[in-house]
Structures are given as C-alpha cells and as structure tokens.
Amino acid sequence: MNISNLNELLNTKIINEGKVLSVEGFSLNLNEVKYAYAFFSNDELEIKEAIKKGAFVIVYEKEIPILDKEIFYLQSQNLEVSIFRLLRFLCEEKEFKFLLCNPNEIHFAKTFYLKSLQENIFLDFNSLIKADKNEIFCSSNKNYILKLCANFDQLNQVNFALLESSSPFYINLICENIYFKNIKLPFIYAQIFANFISFLQEKKRDIRFNLNKLDFFQIYFIHYDFKPAEFGKSDRALIFVFNENDFEFFKENFKNIKGFKSALKNSLFCDFSYSHIFDLKNKDFKYCLILDEHKNYIKDFYLQNEIEESNLFN
C-alpha cells in the first residue's frame, strides 16, 4: 500500500517522512514484523526492534523519539480507531462476509468451520489480516461488526423436518432436501443446526461440520449408582453447562421431557439444590441439568479417564 494513501486511510499525521513509498504488510506483533511492514505500537523498545527487523512505517499514538530518519512515523490521535480504519478497508477489499449470531448460535460457528471474532480488535487483527478472500466471520456483537463493515448477515429461521429419535441427544432431520442421520446433538439445537445449513447453501459454501467442536455443554451417561455407563445402556444423564444463558436455554427447552430436572449449588431457583455434586446421587431424575461455571463439578465427578470414557462426544 502506498504510504501516502495509508496515512490518509489511518487519519494520522506524518511526523517524520521516510525515503520509501509503500509498505507490504501490517503487524501489531513484534514477532511477525517483516521487511517493509507497517508496525503499530506505543512501546519504544518494540518500535526499536521493529526498525531493526526492517519496518518501513511506525504508527503510534503516544509521544516517542524518532529513532530512524529513513522511515515514516505516523502519529494517530487514537491507535485503536486507526487500526479499525485499516481493517475496515481490508475487509471490504477482501470481500469478507460477517454473520451476526445470538449467544446460542455463536457456539456453532466453529462447528461449521466458520471463524468467530473475539470482539477485541487487537486480538482479531491477525485473523482478519491473514484471512482468505470471501471468508465468513461470526460475532454476537452488532456494534463491533459495524466497525468492520457496512452490512452483515443473520441466520433465517428455516423449515426442517425433525424425525423420530430414540434419544433427546440424537437427531435425525431433513433440511434443504438433505437427510442428516444420527446427528449427535440435543434436539433443542435442531433449529440452529438447520439455520446454519441453509445459510451455507445460500452462500454456496461446502456443508461440513464437526460436532466434536461443541464445547459449551458436556453430557455424561451414568447408572443409578453414578457409575459411568455407555450411551444406550445408561439409567440417567448429567448435562453440564458453563454459563447462565445456556442453562436457561436448556432448562426452558427440555422442561417437557419426562424425568428432566435442573440443579444449582445452594439455590432455590431449580429442582434440586446441592452442596456437592454427589448430593444428586439419590435424587429422582432421568436427566439433570447442572450449571458449572468454573467446571469444578466435572473435575470432582470422576477421574479424567473415567469422564472421557462416558463423554457423549468421544
């Protein structure tokens, strides 16, 4: 990119005019600085090292000394805003697509091999810079997306046929004339699954997914004595979720399933209150939903090798 154009794009002020005319790349990370790059930083030591590595342009906000008269120093009033301006330009140039998801949908982005934004421009910088043309990025933060693009997509509620299944943790469905058999997914997420399938078809993308990437819940099958059981041979199941939103979603959508109960530690706002996970051993349930925000109860539940043997997705 021509440095004159870069200066205008970033809305920066030329403090020192160097000898070169253009840059070949951009970096926030000193380890990734290459010859002819523009480097964004306020750290004097990092800037010094970036110059040694061949940076042509230094973009900064704070007052720093000019260490090399041969390169450009561009001062920004707000470094974060300048970075957003650069990335918005590159997102348009690479024709990226952005998908706004709700908190339940965003879990599935990586399942369908779509990239999720971390909603921090310093953390997302490399993903956006290095992404291929027409890449799809997902986020649940509308304001953040609008800083990167003018338009975004959302999932549509599509029609699908959910076929009979012997378990609430497996689904068989027909969506967009495609039959999906024995999908290891609780039925309550069938609509989201179908919506993603339709979205990918609309965008003419390959339909591929890996449900092993789902990590926002874990299901363990047990006998009445709380010993591990194989799926299909168990008496009961424990459903662990790790935030309140997922807890409420499961609780609302599983409420009509016979034998379903919910449990919270030392709380009255559920079916069972407990102090330790093994307090649930003698409770009457077939499926018990447990909020485990710090994943401490799973650690207490079994030794790790026993957990892995009974995990639904292993």
Side-chain angles (χ1 to χ4, degrees), residues 107-114 180 183-185 193 196-197 200 206-217 313-314:
H107 291 311
F108 287 79
K110 60 185 176 182
T111 298
F112 288 93
Y113 297 92
L114 303 177
F180 297 92
I183 302 297
K184 297 179 182 180
L185 185 70
F193 182 88
F196 269 99
I197 295 298
L200 292 172
D206 292 337
I207 295 177
R208 59 193 186 106
F209 56 90
N210 181 359
L211 294 175
N212 289 325
K213 292 178 177 288
L214 290 177
D215 57 6
F216 65 97
F217 68 88
F313 296 115
N314 284 342

Side-chain angles (χ1 to χ4, degrees), residues 27-49:
S27 178
L28 303 183
N29 188 330
L30 180 61
N31 294 327
E32 297 186 355
V33 174
K34 297 179 181 179
Y35 182 77
Y37 266 40
F39 181 56
F40 295 76
S41 179
N42 285 316
D43 188 295
E44 289 185 34
L45 293 177
E46 285 192 348
I47 289 171
K48 184 177 180 179
E49 290 301 313

Side-chain angles (χ1 to χ4, degrees), residues 162-173 180-190 211 217 219 221 230-232 254 287 311-314:
L162 186 62
L163 307 180
E164 185 176 354
S165 174
S166 60
S167 168
F169 305 114
Y170 271 73
I171 59 174
N172 299 292
L173 61 82
F180 297 92
K181 184 178 181 181
N182 292 332
I183 302 297
K184 297 179 182 180
L185 185 70
F187 74 96
I188 61 176
Y189 293 105
L211 294 175
F217 68 88
I219 302 171
F221 299 101
E230 295 179 16
F231 176 72
F254 248 74
Y287 311 110
N311 189 339
L312 172 63
F313 296 115
N314 284 342

Side-chain angles (χ1 to χ4, degrees), residues 132-188:
D132 296 328
K133 188 174 182 178
N134 291 316
E135 190 75 73
I136 297 175
F137 288 91
C138 303
S139 173
S140 58
N141 188 325
K142 179 179 178 180
N143 291 333
Y144 186 76
I145 289 179
L146 290 175
K147 290 181 180 180
L148 295 168
C149 66
N151 301 293
F152 56 83
D153 292 300
Q154 291 181 271
L155 295 177
N156 295 318
Q157 295 287 101
V158 300
N159 294 322
F160 67 96
L162 186 62
L163 307 180
E164 185 176 354
S165 174
S166 60
S167 168
F169 305 114
Y170 271 73
I171 59 174
N172 299 292
L173 61 82
I174 299 174
C175 175
E176 300 292 345
N177 296 318
I178 306 174
Y179 178 34
F180 297 92
K181 184 178 181 181
N182 292 332
I183 302 297
K184 297 179 182 180
L185 185 70
F187 74 96
I188 61 176

Side-chain angles (χ1 to χ4, degrees), residues 16 53 82 124 196 292:
N16 185 75
K53 297 180 76 169
S82 292
D124 289 324
F196 269 99
D292 188 6

Side-chain angles (χ1 to χ4, degrees), residues 1 6 22-27 34-40 129:
M1 179 183 289
L6 177 64
S22 63
V23 294
E24 297 180 6
F26 311 94
S27 178
K34 297 179 181 179
Y35 182 77
Y37 266 40
F39 181 56
F40 295 76
I129 286 286

